[in-house]
Amino acid sequence: MAIGLADGQATGKIVHVKSLEPPDTHYLRAAQGWLELGSLVEANEELERLSPEALRHPDVLEIRWQVYAGTKKWGACVGVGLALMKAAPDRAEGWLHHSFALHALKRTQEAYTHLATVADKFDDIWTVPYNLCCYCSQLGRFEEAQEWFKRAAVLNDMAVQKAGVDDPDLKPLWDSMSTNI
C-alpha cells in the first residue's frame, strides 16, 4: 500500500508557522500520546479541546489526518490533507496524505497526478517516488512504476525493500515482471 508519513518521518523542510500556546500545546501532546497508544477516540477528544485558531495549525492537521486515517475516513482525510497543504506547502506530509486518501477512495489516477506535480520539490523524500510507483503499478503503467521504484530506492534502499516486499499495491508490478522472465 502506498505509504503516508504515519511513522513520523521528517521531511527535512523547514516550515515557519505561528507556534501553538498553552493549553493548546498540552492538548496536542495528549492527542499525540493517545495516537501513539492506538487510542483514536481519545486522541480525537483531545483535538476537540483545541482553540479554533489552533485547528488550522499544521501539527494539529497532521494528527487529525492520522486519526481519520486510523478510522478509514478517507473523504475527511482528503480535506485535511488539502488543509495541511495550504497551511504548510513545504511539508511533504500534506501532499502525501492527500494523494494517499485519494488512492484509498479508488481515485488513483487523481492521486498520481496530484503527487507527481511535487515529485521534484520533494526529491529527497523516498515515500514520494515510492507512492508514485504504487499508483503506477495499480494503473498498469509498469515501466513508469519501475522508474519510480528505482528513484525511491536511491533515496532509502532499505526502507523501500522493506515496504515493497509485501505491498499489495505493488503486486501488479511484481506479477508483470514475473511474466516477462
Side-chain angles (χ1 to χ4, degrees), residues 6-33:
D7 58 359
Q9 299 171 16
T11 62
K13 305 287 182 188
I14 297 172
V15 178
H16 299 286
V17 295
K18 185 178 178 194
S19 297
L20 291 175
E21 300 292 331
D24 289 331
T25 53
H26 305 300
Y27 301 142
L28 180 59
R29 270 188 255 142
Q32 287 172 313

Side-chain angles (χ1 to χ4, degrees), residues 163-175:
V165 70
D166 292 321
D167 191 329
D169 281 341
L170 295 180
K171 186 175 182 335
L173 175 62
W174 304 145
D175 290 349

Side-chain angles (χ1 to χ4, degrees), residues 108-158:
T108 303
Q109 179 58 55
E110 192 177 346
Y112 171 84
T113 301
H114 171 77
L115 190 57
T117 63
V118 294
D120 290 335
K121 178 177 183 174
F122 300 114
D123 62 355
D124 58 338
I125 300 168
W126 72 270
T127 49
V128 172
Y130 182 87
N131 283 15
L132 290 167
C133 171
C134 290
Y135 304 153
C136 285
S137 174
Q138 289 295 299
L139 295 167
R141 300 189 332 227
F142 303 125
E143 288 183 26
E144 186 179 356
Q146 288 180 40
E147 291 304 313
W148 287 118
F149 190 86
K150 289 174 190 173
R151 282 181 65 175
V154 165
L155 295 171
N156 191 335
D157 189 49
M158 293 294 284

Side-chain angles (χ1 to χ4, degrees), residues 15-92:
V15 178
H16 299 286
V17 295
K18 185 178 178 194
S19 297
L20 291 175
E21 300 292 331
D24 289 331
T25 53
H26 305 300
Y27 301 142
L28 180 59
R29 270 188 255 142
Q32 287 172 313
W34 286 118
L35 185 63
E36 289 170 11
L37 292 170
S39 300
L40 301 174
V41 172
E42 290 83 357
N44 192 59
E45 287 172 357
E46 293 294 340
L47 292 176
E48 295 299 322
R49 298 174 74 183
L50 290 161
S51 67
E53 308 82 55
L55 295 176
R56 290 187 185 92
H57 191 279
D59 296 339
V60 172
L61 293 167
E62 173 68 28
I63 299 299
R64 174 76 70 197
W65 191 93
Q66 298 295 335
V67 168
Y68 286 157
T71 56
K72 301 195 182 317
K73 293 181 180 176
W74 300 117
C77 284
V78 169
V80 174
L82 280 171
L84 182 53
M85 289 167 27
K86 290 177 184 173
D90 289 331
R91 281 191 186 182

